[in-house]
Amino acid sequence: MENMKARRSGATLKYNGIEITPSITGFSLELSAEGTADNCSFQIADRGERWLGDLFPKKGDAIEATISVYDWEGDGDNRSLSCGTFTVDSAGINGEPVAISVGAVAKPVKAAFSATQRTQTWQKATLQKIAETIAGRYQLKLFYDAPEITIAAKEQSEQEDGAFLQELCQSYGLILKIYRDKLVIFDREVYKKKKTVKKISRFAIKREVGWNYQTDLEGSYTGGVITYTDARTEKDISYEVGTKERPLKLNEQADSIGDAKRKLEAAIANANHGLFRLSLSVMGNPDLVDGVVLEIVDFGVEISGRYFVDKAVHSLSRGEGYVTALEMSKII
C-alpha cells in the first residue's frame, strides 16, 4: 500500500512584477463581505538587504498573491485561491537582522476613488449604470449580481465616489467590494439562499484557538414602516411590511412605493444580519471565502445551522502552517 503524500501549502507573491516568494516568512489575506476593502499583509526576511535598496516599499506599489494547497485533504487535492491585486499602504522595517512587514489593500491605485470629493446629480439611471460609470473612472470592470434598481434622482454632494456608491448600495441592501481589479456588487440576501459550499463540525476547529458565539438578546425586527414625501404631491406617504411586534421605523427619501418597499426591506435585512454571530478557525481551505454559505454542525440546536461568511482571514506562517479564520452570521 502506497503512503499518502504529505500535504503542502504556500503563498506565491509578486511585488511590482518581481517574484519574492522565497523570502516570505508569513502571509495573511483578509476577505470581507461587509463593504470594507480586502487587504493583505506579509513579512520578509531580508537577508540580501534588497528591501533596503531597489525594493524599498513605496505607497501604491503593486502586489499579486495566490494561495495554493497540494494533496491537502487527500492525494491529488490541489487547489488555489487567487487573492487578487493589492496596492501597498503601509510598511515597516526593523533589524537586526533586517525584516520587512508590508500591508496592502485591494483598491484602485488612483487615490481619487477614496480621496477626491465630487459633486454630481444622477438622474433616471439604474444603480448598475451608476456603478459602471464610477468603475470606468478607475479602469475597473464591474461585476453586478443584483436586481435592476432605477434611481429617479440622487445627489452626490462633495462625496468620494467610493463612499457615495457604498452608501447607495447599502440603502438597497447590496454589498460593494473590490476584488481582482473588479468592482463587485451583489445582493447578500440572495446569496444567503445559495447552496452550502462546506460542512464544518465543531470537532474540526483548531482547539488552541477555539470558537466564539454571540447573540443580541433583544431579538430581530419583525417588520417596519417607512415614511417619505411624494415629490409630486408633497404629501407624506407611509408603507408597512411584516408585523408590528418589533417594527423598524425609517424616514427615507423614496421615488415611489416600490422604491420605499425595497429600501425598507433592505434596512430590516441589514439590521437583522449579524444577530447571531460565530467565529472560529479551521485548517486552511481556499474554498472558504467571504460571501459563501457554510453548514455548521455538532454545536447543538441553537448554534448549529447555515451561516453566511462575513469575513475570511487566510494566514500562512512557518510556525502555524495554513489556517483560515471565519467570522459568520447565522441565516435566520
Side-chain angles (χ1 to χ4, degrees):
M1 181 177 178
E2 296 184 2
N3 294 328
M4 289 184 61
K5 297 179 181 178
R7 63 167 63 102
R8 295 178 294 120
S9 64
T12 303
L13 265 72
K14 288 185 178 180
Y15 193 96
N16 287 336
I18 299 173
E19 177 77 37
I20 63 169
T21 302
S23 301
I24 298 170
T25 58
F27 175 77
S28 179
L29 169 71
E30 182 177 302
L31 303 173
S32 176
E34 290 296 319
T36 57
D38 293 344
N39 64 83
C40 74
S41 62
F42 63 90
Q43 296 75 46
I44 289 284
D46 192 21
R47 296 182 180 87
E49 297 192 356
R50 293 184 63 192
W51 293 83
L52 293 179
D54 58 333
L55 286 181
F56 196 89
K58 299 178 180 63
K59 191 176 181 68
D61 285 352
I63 297 169
E64 297 176 59
T66 302
I67 295 173
S68 300
V69 295
Y70 307 93
D71 304 307
W72 198 239
E73 295 183 8
D75 289 351
D77 179 24
N78 304 325
R79 286 173 283 155
S80 64
L81 171 60
S82 178
C83 308
T85 303
F86 302 82
T87 59
V88 171
D89 70 342
S90 66
I93 303 177
N94 61 278
E96 300 286 340
V98 178
I100 316 295
S101 179
V102 178
V105 294
K107 66 180 182 181
V109 175
K110 288 187 177 182
F113 184 79
S114 58
T116 302
Q117 295 183 335
R118 187 187 305 273
T119 296
Q120 179 175 352
T121 300
W122 302 86
Q123 291 182 315
K124 296 181 180 179
T126 63
L127 195 154
Q128 182 174 0
K129 184 61 179 178
I130 293 173
E132 284 178 351
T133 301
I134 291 176
R137 290 172 180 164
Y138 308 98
Q139 288 77 57
L140 294 171
K141 295 181 180 179
L142 176 67
F143 175 81
Y144 186 88
D145 191 10
E148 181 175 295
I149 298 172
T150 301
I151 310 295
K154 181 67 175 179
E155 182 75 18
Q156 180 180 351
S157 180
E158 296 185 357
Q159 270 186 298
E160 302 89 349
D161 283 338
F164 169 75
L165 190 55
Q166 170 66 32
E167 181 183 289
L168 190 60
C169 287
Q170 186 175 25
S171 68
Y172 289 102
L174 307 182
I175 297 297
L176 166 70
K177 64 178 294 179
I178 295 174
Y179 176 68
R180 298 193 66 187
D181 298 321
K182 292 184 178 68
L183 197 62
V184 177
I185 296 176
F186 65 93
D187 189 325
R188 182 168 57 196
E189 294 306 305
V190 172
Y191 273 50
K192 286 181 180 180
K193 299 175 183 177
K194 292 194 172 187
K195 293 182 179 179
T196 58
V197 301
K198 188 175 180 60
K199 179 186 292 185
I200 295 180
S201 166
R202 177 163 64 94
F203 307 112
I205 296 172
K206 293 181 70 67
R207 292 188 175 274
E208 60 271 26
V209 178
W211 53 274
N212 179 267
Y213 178 80
Q214 293 187 358
T215 180
D216 295 326
L217 298 177
E218 63 268 21
S220 60
Y221 288 105
T222 59
V225 56
I226 182 173
T227 302
Y228 69 98
T229 302
D230 188 288
R232 293 171 297 179
T233 64
E234 296 186 353
K235 292 182 178 180
D236 289 340
I237 298 177
S238 293
Y239 179 82
E240 296 183 24
V241 296
T243 68
K244 296 181 179 180
E245 181 182 351
R246 188 167 181 267
L248 172 67
K249 296 181 180 179
L250 188 67
N251 289 307
E252 179 78 40
Q253 179 182 344
D255 300 328
S256 63
I257 284 289
D259 191 50
K261 178 177 182 293
R262 186 184 295 274
K263 286 184 174 179
L264 178 57
E265 290 177 344
I268 294 171
N270 287 338
N272 286 341
H273 182 77
L275 185 65
F276 305 99
R277 304 176 299 279
L278 178 65
S279 59
L280 52 84
S281 294
V282 294
M283 184 177 76
N285 189 327
D287 298 334
L288 303 182
V289 297
D290 61 307
V292 302
V293 175
L294 304 179
E295 184 179 355
I296 305 300
V297 298
D298 300 321
F299 279 86
V301 175
E302 292 298 323
I303 299 179
S304 295
R306 283 165 46 88
Y307 282 77
F308 178 87
V309 177
D310 296 308
K311 181 183 293 185
V313 180
H314 296 262
S315 302
L316 297 95
S317 67
R318 292 178 178 176
E320 298 294 328
Y322 178 23
V323 177
T324 300
L326 302 170
E327 294 181 15
M328 304 172 287
S329 294
K330 191 172 186 180
I331 299 172
I332 56 176

